[in-house]
Amino acid sequence: MAEITQDLLLGGRVHLAQPAKGHRAGTDAVLLAASAPVKAGDVVVDVGAATGAVGLMVAARESAGRFVFVERDPDLAELCRRNCRENGLRADVAVADVLDRTSRQAAGLMAESADLILSNPPFLEEGQARVSPDQGRAAAHALPAGGLEAWLKACTGLLKPKGRLVLIHRADRTAECLDILGKWLGGMELRFVHPSADRPAIRVLLSGLKGSRAPLSILAPLILNGPDGRFTPEAEALHRGEATLL
């Protein structure tokens, strides 16, 4: 495997080994984890887990659940196992392609088995943008054509009735996410993430309940940076693990 770095998340509460190059855990992972309403006893599935950053940060807040990490790259999955051990988390790491039902079933991922699904899916699909020459980064950022609907359908299929899906995506794909997820989820909540108060949103945090008929809610936006370019107090607290977005 390529060079590995040892990084700290949530002010040192989570230790994360991850590749030095390619896709690396950052603000998106922090915000997704901070939006996860986990409680003791929940079956929590981190779909597209890479080295496990999101699930590990959620477990740092509430470890009394069953955590399952789903990652198709065997090398990243092995790093995820290592990270779980080093953070004292007993968890299952499934090597599976979430887009392939046979692969999911072979890895033991059963329909309607999860209370909470967390996902930071690849943001683009083939043909939408130039793909990075780095294989790891390309796999993390691009799905095959039509892949977003297949990804979200697989995620919702893993949810129990009234289970919750929480995901982060590009703000400019909000309408597409809502159109797809509206087939299965209700009570959806949106929180837009802006790089600064005077700039358009770049991310959306979306949450919904399987089978709910409750209406859509738009939550207060999150502003990441102040006029000085530094994290706002709220963004800083989120990165240090001293706050959530719940």
Side-chain angles (χ1 to χ4, degrees), residues 59-79:
R61 192 167 78 242
E62 175 53 80
S63 61
R66 180 191 167 199
F67 285 80
V68 181
F69 297 81
V70 183
E71 173 52 48
R72 70 176 183 177
D73 184 312
D75 291 334
L76 293 178
E78 185 54 40
L79 275 178

Side-chain angles (χ1 to χ4, degrees), residues 154-173:
C155 287
T156 55
L158 294 173
L159 277 178
K160 297 176 181 178
K162 302 302 181 182
R164 182 175 294 276
L165 170 69
V166 185
L167 69 88
I168 188 167
H169 213 298
R170 285 171 39 144
D172 61 4
R173 299 196 72 182

Side-chain angles (χ1 to χ4, degrees), residues 169-213:
H169 213 298
R170 285 171 39 144
D172 61 4
R173 299 196 72 182
T174 301
E176 187 176 357
C177 289
L178 289 173
D179 183 56
I180 295 169
L181 290 173
K183 302 170 187 175
W184 305 294
L185 305 183
M188 285 191 278
E189 298 175 344
L190 302 181
R191 187 187 304 275
F192 290 99
V193 181
H194 298 252
S196 59
D198 59 348
R199 294 176 63 189
I202 55 172
R203 296 286 185 268
V204 62
L205 289 154
L206 189 154
S207 173
L209 291 173
K210 186 173 183 177
S212 171
R213 296 187 177 183

Side-chain angles (χ1 to χ4, degrees), residues 223-236:
I223 309 301
L224 291 178
N225 301 295
D228 60 358
R230 298 176 180 271
F231 278 147
T232 60
E234 183 178 13
E236 179 67 29

